[in-house]
Amino acid sequence: MRSWRTIASESWERFGLGYEVLHEANPRLVYACLRGFGDKRTGASPYGTWPAYDVVAQAMGGIMAITGPDGATPMKIGPGVGDIVPGMMLAFGILAAVHHARRTGEGQFVDIAMADAVLALCERTVYQHSVQGLTPGPEGNHHPFLVPFGIYPARDGYVTLGAHQQSFFEISL
């Protein structure tokens, strides 16, 4: 099944409005793409033609595997980070490419994959896996390395603490 993003991209190509054609006409051009799994120009993906929405990007980007109360219950993050964060990263990329084009006269092709942008949000788990060989799971409301750091029950509800350094406990007079 092809996504509307893939169909839209193929339409631009079909009308002669792909990056390569437009870049040849205007070398300063900044051309940006936001797709679920990236553009074939910047690297092939076996999922390149799959549709992607927020929940798909959250699942494929790995953030659902580290969210929630336990490893048996993958959980979507409330806000649409699979949609919002890739858009923010695309905006940053476009601004950087425009700045570069103004300085050098050379445009760029900017490509953001929704799944990659969500993976970037999983920063700690990426290096835990690549450096330590761990496959982190959900942490609930606590931090795996810092204590006290999390949400704790109190008599009248909950309290959130992030006091993992001695200086946080000291009182200055």
Side-chain angles (χ1 to χ4, degrees):
M1 177 178 177
R2 297 179 327 154
S3 73
W4 68 266
R5 288 179 178 97
T6 301
I7 293 167
S9 171
E10 291 170 354
S11 297
W12 291 119
E13 303 288 333
R14 189 175 69 236
F15 292 124
L17 298 172
Y19 171 71
E20 291 76 14
V21 172
L22 295 178
H23 176 72
E24 192 171 313
N26 179 3
R28 296 174 61 96
L29 175 71
V30 172
Y31 191 108
C33 291
L34 175 61
R35 296 193 173 93
F37 303 96
D39 186 277
K40 61 186 174 192
R41 293 175 185 95
T42 57
S45 168
Y47 312 111
T49 60
W50 286 22
Y53 304 95
D54 168 61
V55 71
V56 173
Q58 286 195 36
M60 297 292 283
I63 205 162
M64 288 175 63
I66 58 171
T67 303
D70 57 58
T73 313
M75 191 168 291
K76 174 188 160 323
I77 290 179
V81 297
D83 287 332
I84 296 167
V85 171
M88 290 169 42
M89 289 187 172
L90 184 66
F92 295 147
I94 290 169
L95 290 172
V98 167
H99 179 69
H100 177 80
R102 284 182 176 165
R103 283 187 353 204
T104 68
E106 176 188 349
Q108 296 181 35
F109 179 81
V110 180
D111 175 37
I112 298 292
M114 293 168 68
D116 292 351
V118 171
L119 178 62
L121 292 175
C122 302
E123 42 63 66
R124 183 178 60 243
T125 62
V126 171
Y127 67 73
Q128 281 179 287
H129 182 73
S130 61
V131 173
Q132 298 174 310
L134 300 173
T135 303
E139 297 160 359
N141 289 321
H142 300 286
H143 194 285
F145 310 127
L146 307 176
V147 177
F149 195 100
I151 301 171
Y152 301 90
R155 186 177 307 165
D156 59 347
Y158 290 88
V159 63
T160 302
L161 295 175
H164 55 281
Q165 295 177 346
Q166 182 62 35
S167 63
F168 293 166
F169 292 97
E170 297 169 1
I171 298 174
S172 299
L173 299 176

